[in-house]
Amino acid sequence: MTQVGSSLGVACESRGPGGWRLEAQFQVAAAPVLRRELERLGWWGRGRPADLSTLLDAHLLFGDDLVSHETALSVAELGELAAALALSRRHDDLCAQLLAWHALARSLEASGRPARLAVWWSG
């Protein structure tokens, strides 16, 4: 059961010479749908990466809400997730968001900066 005030957080990070860097934080069009898909794929709550960017790590550690179910998604996994939702043809807004996030992550990788998405539950 979802608590009132709970939310899904999503951020994109890229890695450069100094380590991981927060590139963007996103609002989620259909957080319950995204959470269900991550659970279905077995990717929900795999744990917080030990090497999060300093800014994102501080946000998660010192934010107002309790954070749980952290996970990181590779660019390939993000593409798989977008493709799975596109096939279902039921969640167009979320699918469009995933495709945009995937394009951002791919563009970072094309510029020589490995990328990933961090996802977490707060509240």
Side-chain angles (χ1 to χ4, degrees):
M1 187 163 133
T2 303
Q3 299 173 358
V4 175
S6 296
S7 64
L8 192 67
V10 178
C12 181
E13 294 184 304
S14 70
R15 190 175 67 228
W20 287 95
R21 176 174 87 183
L22 179 63
E23 295 290 344
Q25 283 190 263
F26 305 111
Q27 298 291 319
V28 183
V33 174
L34 180 54
R35 181 179 175 163
R36 276 194 309 273
E37 277 300 302
L38 291 170
E39 288 173 338
R40 185 185 68 77
L41 292 166
W43 298 343
W44 179 246
R46 293 189 289 194
R48 178 186 301 203
D51 58 352
L52 283 177
S53 64
T54 303
L55 190 56
L56 184 55
D57 195 36
H59 173 71
L60 296 178
L61 287 173
F62 301 113
D64 293 335
D65 295 322
L66 178 66
V67 172
S68 64
H69 295 89
E70 299 102 328
T71 197
L73 300 175
S74 69
V75 175
E77 289 170 332
L78 183 55
E80 286 179 47
L81 182 59
L85 277 177
L87 288 174
S88 75
R89 298 184 182 202
R90 292 180 299 162
H91 305 288
D92 292 339
D93 289 346
L94 179 58
C95 187
Q97 277 190 317
L98 290 170
L99 290 171
W101 300 344
H102 188 243
L104 170 63
R106 287 183 57 212
S107 71
L108 289 165
E109 289 201 330
S111 68
R113 299 183 62 89
R116 67 183 178 198
L117 238 59
V119 181
W120 64 92
W121 189 256
S122 65

